Structures are given as structure tokens and as C-alpha cells.
Amino acid sequence: MNSKILAGLSFDPGILIIGMFVLILLMLIYIYTLHRKQNQLDRKYRAFMRGGRGAKSLDEALENKLESLNNIKDINDTLNERITRLEKSMGRSYQKMGIVKYDAFKEMGGKLSFACALLNDRDDGFVLNSIHSKDGCYNYIKEIIKGESYLPLGDEEAEALEQAKQYGMGNE
């Protein structure tokens, strides 16, 4: 059986066949090597997914992390709600204070009288004036709206009010 293709070659076709056989043999060795590496990777992957040596599987680890994230999200939502409620109530509470001690009658000494101003964040509140004398102690309260009193303030009361208003402006 003569082939026109083989007859046209300038070298012995047996060399071509031997070369092809060597090339096929090299390819089989290479395929075997790739197959072994693939099996090793496959074993490592299965062990990783199963969680070998007492470790959790990837699925379990991911489920635990997602559950932890959901718990953190729930806690964060709860904390945000509490912060919102606290911020609302904080605006109504008295946060700023000014106090001036003085001697109302110059006869007693010790500066036992005082004026105390308490304001919220909108500068609403009151000024409490406590006057101490030999005969007793007298307390007066004046309402403050938006930082101002509709009743006349004494010098000490005005000073206490100014202290309280300044307290909320970074002069704590």
C-alpha cells in the first residue's frame, strides 16, 4: 500500500511515525500529570467544603457569619431607635446651667443667696432665685422662653441666664 503523501516526503516515513509515537507518549504523560493534579485539587476542595480535621464546613461557616451579621443588624437597628428616642427627649431636658452665688443683704456674709438658670436646647427653661436673709429663705422662679424672660431680671439672674446660654455654645 503506497501513499502519495508519504511518497512525497524527502525523509523516511518511519521517522515520522516514531516522532508521532514519542509526541503521543509525551502527551499521555502530561495528561496523566494534569489528571493527578486535578485529583489533588478535587480532594482538597472536598475536604475544605466538608470542614476536615474538626473545622466547620464552608457552608456552616458562611451560615454562622450570616447569622452573626443579622444579629448585628438587629442590634444596630435597636440601638438606632434608642438613640433617636434619646435625641428627642434630650431636646426637652434641661442641659444648660448657669449659677451665680451672691450676698443679697451684705449683712450675712458667705454668699448664701443664688440665682440658677436651667435651659433646654431651645433656650427654654427657668431662672430660680433663692434669697437668703436673717428672717428666712425666699425662692422666686421666672420662666425663660427662647432665651428671654418676660419679667424683669435682677443682675444676678441675668448673669446666670447668660452663663446658661453660653454653656451650650462650646464654652463648657
Side-chain angles (χ1 to χ4, degrees):
M1 161 166 144
N2 288 337
S3 169
K4 293 181 184 177
I5 297 174
L6 293 177
L9 293 175
S10 60
F11 57 88
D12 186 15
I15 295 174
L16 181 63
I17 291 173
I18 291 173
M20 293 293 283
F21 179 74
V22 169
L23 185 61
I24 289 172
L25 188 61
L26 289 174
M27 290 185 78
L28 286 174
I29 292 170
Y30 183 67
I31 288 172
Y32 175 74
T33 306
L34 287 177
H35 181 69
R36 285 190 62 210
K37 287 182 181 180
Q38 175 64 34
N39 282 341
Q40 287 175 348
L41 285 173
D42 194 40
R43 269 187 266 122
K44 287 180 182 178
Y45 173 75
R46 276 190 255 124
F48 179 69
M49 293 302 284
R50 272 194 318 267
R53 296 187 186 161
K56 296 178 182 176
S57 72
L58 182 61
D59 289 338
E60 289 174 13
L62 286 175
E63 284 178 20
N64 289 343
K65 291 298 176 190
L66 286 174
E67 187 176 324
S68 294
L69 285 174
N70 286 336
N71 288 341
I72 289 171
K73 183 187 177 301
D74 292 342
I75 290 169
N76 188 41
D77 291 344
T78 302
L79 290 174
N80 281 337
E81 288 173 12
R82 290 177 68 186
I83 287 170
T84 301
R85 283 195 312 266
L86 284 172
E87 285 174 342
K88 285 180 183 177
S89 69
M90 205 167 110
R92 294 185 305 264
S93 66
Y94 297 120
Q95 307 164 29
K96 305 178 205 176
M97 182 180 81
I99 192 162
V100 175
K101 291 181 74 176
Y102 64 99
D103 189 1
F105 298 107
K106 308 291 185 221
E107 63 201 41
M108 301 280 300
K111 293 187 176 182
L112 297 176
S113 300
F114 67 90
C116 177
L118 293 174
L119 304 174
N120 63 15
D121 66 340
R122 294 180 303 266
D123 287 342
D124 294 338
F126 61 89
V127 173
L128 175 66
N129 192 356
S130 181
I131 300 172
H132 187 76
S133 72
K134 286 192 282 190
D135 300 327
C137 186
Y138 303 96
N139 296 308
Y140 302 95
I141 193 165
K142 296 178 182 172
E143 185 177 20
I144 305 298
I145 299 173
K146 295 183 182 173
E148 294 186 20
S149 172
Y150 294 104
L151 297 172
L153 296 176
D155 292 341
E156 293 84 6
E157 293 171 326
E159 185 179 343
L161 179 59
E162 280 307 308
Q163 283 180 9
K165 289 197 298 191
Q166 294 299 315
Y167 186 82
M169 300 179 73
N171 295 332
E172 288 103 35

